[in-house]
């Protein structure tokens, strides 16, 4: 169940960690903490987590570098926290492999809402036609919803939770053009804070990963949205 998920909080601000722990404890999650990037990586290596709440601006090893290191071995969902609310910083965090981005100061209720939304995507708890189960194929691409894995020509493509959900939605109705609003509704269930820039960033990440396998599975339909390319 989502509510039993374990969350790793990474922030060098003791007071903020205390607040975040309190609200997530109250929401029913198991929580552990790390005071800096090095401690976070050590903690995650010894015991993984179901989600990481990760501060961007930390001394020595910042959140973006922690994300980069985690993404070498894990697709754990990451929710970035940052005192910088610039669009560039949000896009950079998401393109580094983050699943969501929340600017400080934030309301505790919004944090819990974002965490729940990301974990719902992790658990495949979605409504509508996208059920998160079964196998889908399109050309050399195969997606297994139950295993939460994707392959291209037999080689695994490591996608984050959000990237996986986006690709799954596109593959379930190959050739259908989805507007950005439709993709947000289906791929980000329960999260009404997703901007067009956020969605575009995740699509770019999918494309980058597949281009390593000489394939671009997503087609931009200018003025409308995205669809799965004929593979």
């Amino acid at each position: 169940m989502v509510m039993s998920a374990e969350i790793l909080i990474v922030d060098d601000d003791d007071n903020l960690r205390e607040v975040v722990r309190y609200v997530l404890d109250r929401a029913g999650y198991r929580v552990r903490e790390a005071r800096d990037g090095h401690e976070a990586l050590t903690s995650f290596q010894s015991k993984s987590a179901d989600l990481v709440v990760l501060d961007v601006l930390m001394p020595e090893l910042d959140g973006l570098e922690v994300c980069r290191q985690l993404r070498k071995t894990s697709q754990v969902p990451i929710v970035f926290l940052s005192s910088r609310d610039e669009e560039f910083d949000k896009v950079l965090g998401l393109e580094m492999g983050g699943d969501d981005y929340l600017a400080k100061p934030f309301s505790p209720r919004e944090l819990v809402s974002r965490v729940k939304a990301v974990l719902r995507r992790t658990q495949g708890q979605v409504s509508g036609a996208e059920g998160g189960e079964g196998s889908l194929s399109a050309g050399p691409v195969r997606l297994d919803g139950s295993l939460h894995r994707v392959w291209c020509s037999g080689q695994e493509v490591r996608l984050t939770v959000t990237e996986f959900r986006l690709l799954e939605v596109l593959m379930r109705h190959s050739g259908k053009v989805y507007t950005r609003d439709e993709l947000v509704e289906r791929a980000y269930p329960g999260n009404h804070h997703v901007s067009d820039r956020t969605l575009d960033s995740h699509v770019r990440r999918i494309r980058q990963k597949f281009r390593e396998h000489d394939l671009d599975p997503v087609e931009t339909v200018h003025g409308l949205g995205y669809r799965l390319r004929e593979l």
Side-chain angles (χ1 to χ4, degrees):
M1 295 293 293
V2 173
M3 295 303 287
S4 64
E6 182 166 339
I7 299 174
L8 174 61
I9 306 167
V10 187
D11 200 298
D12 60 326
D13 185 326
D14 294 342
N15 292 329
L16 188 139
R17 284 201 321 276
E18 183 177 353
V19 170
V20 173
R21 170 183 277 278
Y22 175 77
V23 298
L24 293 177
D25 274 338
R26 288 286 302 272
Y29 298 107
R30 292 175 289 124
V31 182
R32 68 182 200 264
E33 302 177 25
R35 293 168 293 182
D36 56 49
H38 293 293
E39 187 175 320
L41 292 176
T42 299
S43 175
F44 193 85
Q45 288 168 1
S46 63
K47 183 183 180 184
S48 63
D50 296 301
L51 183 142
V52 179
V53 176
L54 180 59
D55 184 34
V56 173
L57 299 177
M58 294 185 294
E60 295 187 31
L61 196 66
D62 66 21
L64 295 178
E65 181 59 30
V66 172
C67 177
R68 184 183 292 111
Q69 294 297 325
L70 289 175
R71 284 289 174 257
K72 291 180 178 179
T73 58
S74 173
Q75 300 306 310
V76 61
I78 295 174
V79 176
F80 278 116
L81 303 179
S82 179
S83 56
R84 294 165 58 171
D85 192 23
E86 297 296 328
E87 189 75 10
F88 172 80
D89 295 303
K90 291 183 181 180
V91 171
L92 179 60
L94 296 171
E95 292 192 343
M96 287 291 296
D99 292 275
D100 207 344
Y101 187 109
L102 193 57
K104 302 176 185 178
F106 52 84
S107 75
R109 180 177 296 180
E110 183 175 4
L111 173 62
V112 172
S113 174
R114 300 288 188 96
V115 166
K116 286 182 178 178
V118 172
L119 285 171
R120 275 197 294 270
R121 301 201 292 273
T122 307
Q123 301 295 329
Q125 296 184 357
V126 297
S127 59
E130 288 68 49
E133 297 293 339
S135 179
L136 299 171
S137 296
V141 179
R142 184 168 70 87
L143 179 148
D144 191 311
S146 59
L147 296 177
H148 216 271
R149 298 173 70 183
V150 179
W151 296 266
C152 181
S153 300
Q155 295 183 306
E156 185 165 7
V157 182
R158 297 179 64 87
L159 301 181
T160 67
V161 172
T162 303
E163 293 159 5
F164 182 94
R165 287 293 304 129
L166 279 169
L167 182 62
E168 182 182 25
V169 171
L170 293 170
M171 287 184 68
R172 283 195 178 276
H173 299 282
S174 179
K176 171 180 168 58
V177 178
Y178 284 93
T179 67
R180 286 174 171 80
D181 288 343
E182 287 174 328
L183 280 174
V184 168
E185 180 181 347
R186 289 166 172 78
Y188 301 78
N191 192 342
H192 306 293
H193 309 280
V194 180
S195 69
D196 287 353
R197 291 293 297 276
T198 296
L199 175 65
D200 293 344
S201 295
H202 286 138
V203 170
R204 276 197 297 272
R205 288 278 297 177
I206 293 172
R207 285 173 157 164
Q208 288 170 2
K209 291 179 179 182
F210 273 93
R211 282 172 183 154
E212 296 175 7
H213 301 270
D214 299 316
L215 185 72
D216 183 354
V218 182
E219 180 181 357
T220 300
V221 182
H222 295 288
L224 293 175
Y226 296 105
R227 67 182 168 199
L228 188 74
R229 193 183 301 278
E230 186 174 341
L231 302 174

